[in-house]
Structures are given as structure tokens and as C-alpha cells.
Amino acid sequence: MNSPSFHPPLVRVFKTYLAAAVLLCACALPAIADVPKSLLPAFGNDGKEFTVKAKDGNTVHGWLPTDWTDNTDWAPVTATYTKLTDSPDKAAGAVRIKVEKVEEGGQLQLTTYQGNQKYKKGAKYVVSGWVRSAEHTSVKVGMRQINEPYEFYHEDELSTGPEWKRFEFAFTPTMDFQAFLMFIVHDPGTVDLAGIALEEKP
């Protein structure tokens, strides 16, 4: 009979491999935990159809990811959002924005009222995603005031082309503020967006 402290060779080998596996998993956990998360709702493949009446008999309709919304009902704009199936990242959703008509004083506005709205002085934020426009349609991204006069704290013009292009828009607030992330299209044309995310960087 074996003494309590004796283990057959196979048992000792198994325990050695088990200990090594546990150690390996423990070492890998911090890397998994450090994966950045978007501070906004996922710009994914789940969403829904919508239709809104805009100013002067115009209509904005189509499909948007869950918790993303068009904010153009106040403007004389006609536009269609279409879900795309050729996103550059299979885990990310993609949308085509076709602005058919923009009358004086109007612009298309894509935003989300969910997720982060408070930005801290001195912190670094990065908005990222993909953009594409065969027509080189101009699109602006920025952090816009929630209340009047609806000005932008930080903004940038995205360069577009006929192929998917990765973009990053980084900014560091010089003061605390509250704002919506917003994409603006001023003129008729077509622009595609995919995988939009907002992260706070170290």
C-alpha cells in the first residue's frame, strides 16, 4: 500500500501539467482584462428600421444599429440609411448613408444618446472606425454640445475614398464637458461608416 505522501509517476506528471496550465491561464487574464471597451453602444449588426418626418416634407429612413439614431428631423433633408454586408470587420456593423437632398440650413446628423456623455479635462479619447465614399463625400465627426448653442468642442473632417479606410480622431479636453458624439454630412452624396467606437486611452 502506498504511503499518503507517495504518488504514482502518472499522477505526478498530471499534477505538474495542471499546475502549469493554471499558471498560464492566470498570466493571460490581465491581457484579456485590458482589452479596451467602447464607451458607446456597439456599432454592430443588431438594429432596426426607422422612418422620421423631417422639415418641409422631407423624410429620413432606413436601418441603424441598436441605440444609434438619426437626429435630422429638424432639417430640410431627405436621406436613407442602409445596412451593409461588407463591413471591413465581421464583428462590426456597417451602414451606408445616402443623402439625397439638403436644402438651405440643413445637414444630416448621426449620433447616439446612449453611453458616455461626460468628458474629463486632461483625459485622452479616441474615436475610431472605418469610412468609405466612392464620391469622396465629406463627413465630419466631433463632440457636440448637448444644449444650445450646439457648438462642437472638438471636431475633425474625415478623408474618404472608394475603399474602406480606417480613421482615428483623438482629442484631449481642456476642460470637463458633456457632449454627444456626432457625424455630420452637409451635402448630397453617399458615405459608408463601420465599427464606430470611442475609447479612453491611458
Side-chain angles (χ1 to χ4, degrees), residues 6-20:
F6 176 77
H7 300 290
L10 285 178
V11 174
R12 288 201 305 273
V13 170
F14 174 76
K15 288 195 171 188
T16 300
Y17 277 114
L18 182 62

Side-chain angles (χ1 to χ4, degrees), residues 16-29:
T16 300
Y17 277 114
L18 182 62
V22 170
L23 181 61
L24 183 62
C25 289
C27 292
L29 284 177

Side-chain angles (χ1 to χ4, degrees), residues 41-180:
F43 201 83
N45 290 298
D46 294 330
K48 62 181 180 180
E49 299 283 337
F50 73 96
T51 299
V52 295
K53 295 296 183 182
K55 185 178 178 182
D56 297 338
N58 289 277
T59 301
V60 179
H61 68 101
W63 182 94
L64 279 173
T66 302
D67 292 328
W68 288 81
T69 185
D70 178 86
N71 182 42
T72 316
D73 59 338
W74 59 272
V77 172
T78 292
T80 302
Y81 291 84
T82 304
K83 183 178 181 179
L84 298 176
T85 58
D86 67 337
S87 174
D89 180 349
K90 291 184 179 180
V95 171
R96 171 159 294 167
I97 306 169
K98 183 178 182 180
V99 181
E100 297 149 24
K101 182 170 67 172
V102 180
E103 297 179 2
E104 185 176 356
Q107 60 186 23
L108 178 135
Q109 298 181 171
L110 170 64
T111 188
T112 175
Y113 300 127
Q114 308 299 319
N116 185 69
Q117 295 177 3
K118 295 182 179 180
Y119 298 88
K120 300 173 292 186
K121 177 182 178 180
K124 181 182 179 182
Y125 299 94
V126 177
V127 180
S128 62
W130 287 267
V131 65
R132 176 179 67 182
S133 175
E135 306 165 8
H136 296 274
T137 300
S138 175
V139 57
K140 181 172 78 173
V141 59
M143 314 310 299
R144 202 208 69 177
Q145 292 175 337
I146 295 174
N147 300 312
E148 291 188 46
Y150 304 129
E151 295 179 348
F152 281 83
Y153 290 102
H154 300 274
E155 61 186 286
D156 192 22
E157 200 83 19
L158 301 182
S159 174
T160 62
E163 304 296 332
W164 283 114
K165 179 180 180 181
R166 181 76 174 169
F167 74 84
E168 287 194 352
F169 161 51
F171 63 95
T172 301
T174 56
M175 62 179 180
D176 294 342
F177 65 80
Q178 289 183 270
F180 294 136

Side-chain angles (χ1 to χ4, degrees), residues 33-47:
D34 289 341
V35 173
K37 298 291 185 181
S38 178
L39 301 176
L40 299 175
F43 201 83
N45 290 298
D46 294 330

